[in-house]
Amino acid sequence: MKIALACDHGGLNLKNAVIEYLKENGYDFVDYGTNSTDSCDYPDFALPAAEAVAEKKCDRGIIICSTGIGVSIVANKVPGVRCAHCHDSYCAEFTRRHNDANVLAMGEKVVGTGYALKIVETFLNTQFEGGRHQRRVDKITEIEKKYCK
């Protein structure tokens, strides 16, 4: 599984911890930045990561800012991306099982590193259930087709 990673300056420390987790667990990843604590604009980094997932260059994405909110808004503007802003492993599990979310957004100032890595683990290891949930994901895709022209 190949993971697209991105953060702004407010998520750099957590992104670096996620990188270590991915390396330790044998995941392939692409880091779309930032790699600095200098102030920057989160859309400049979240967008390329989300596009990589939508274009199937990466299987999943993990994007981080101070709260996770800004990067999730950006990612969800990209057709084909279903980004879930998660602050606990229960949400990470069920967004994969029921929504087939393909991008995880987190906030470095909201979730401690240890628990954030548990959220990442859950997100990466939980499979989509399909079935009745596929019908709902298909409806999301139809909404995208209607409004994302």
Side-chain angles (χ1 to χ4, degrees):
M1 183 182 305
K2 191 174 193 178
I3 311 301
L5 292 173
C7 70
D8 68 357
H9 58 283
L12 182 60
N13 294 325
L14 182 53
K15 185 189 77 170
N16 288 337
V18 170
I19 286 172
E20 290 307 309
Y21 171 87
L22 295 175
K23 286 178 180 177
E24 289 170 8
N25 289 280
Y27 288 96
D28 190 15
F29 63 91
V30 179
D31 184 353
Y32 290 91
T34 188
N35 294 302
S36 169
T37 55
D38 295 340
S39 182
C40 62
D41 299 330
Y42 57 84
D44 297 339
F45 304 97
L47 180 60
E51 289 172 334
V53 174
E55 295 167 5
K56 309 243 184 273
K57 294 176 183 172
C58 293
D59 302 295
R60 304 241 180 102
I62 299 170
I63 54 179
I64 305 164
C65 63
S66 294
T67 64
I69 297 168
V71 291
S72 69
I73 292 169
V74 171
N76 278 316
K77 298 295 183 188
V78 178
V81 169
R82 289 175 304 283
C83 179
H85 176 214
C86 296
H87 57 272
D88 60 56
S89 57
Y90 180 86
C91 290
E93 176 185 352
F94 279 87
T95 200
R96 284 290 309 132
R97 288 175 61 184
H98 291 185
N99 311 123
D100 198 19
N102 51 14
V103 177
L104 170 66
M106 294 187 295
E108 179 177 314
K109 294 189 185 324
V110 178
V111 182
T113 302
Y115 196 52
L117 296 179
K118 177 66 176 166
I119 293 167
V120 167
E121 177 184 29
T122 301
F123 182 78
L124 296 178
N125 290 305
T126 302
Q127 298 303 311
F128 178 52
E129 288 181 2
R132 72 183 191 276
H133 304 294
Q134 183 62 58
R135 182 178 70 245
R136 296 162 186 163
V137 171
D138 291 344
K139 288 181 179 187
I140 293 169
T141 302
E142 289 305 312
I143 293 167
E144 285 179 347
K145 288 178 183 176
K146 180 177 178 181
Y147 289 101
C148 298
K149 296 178 183 180

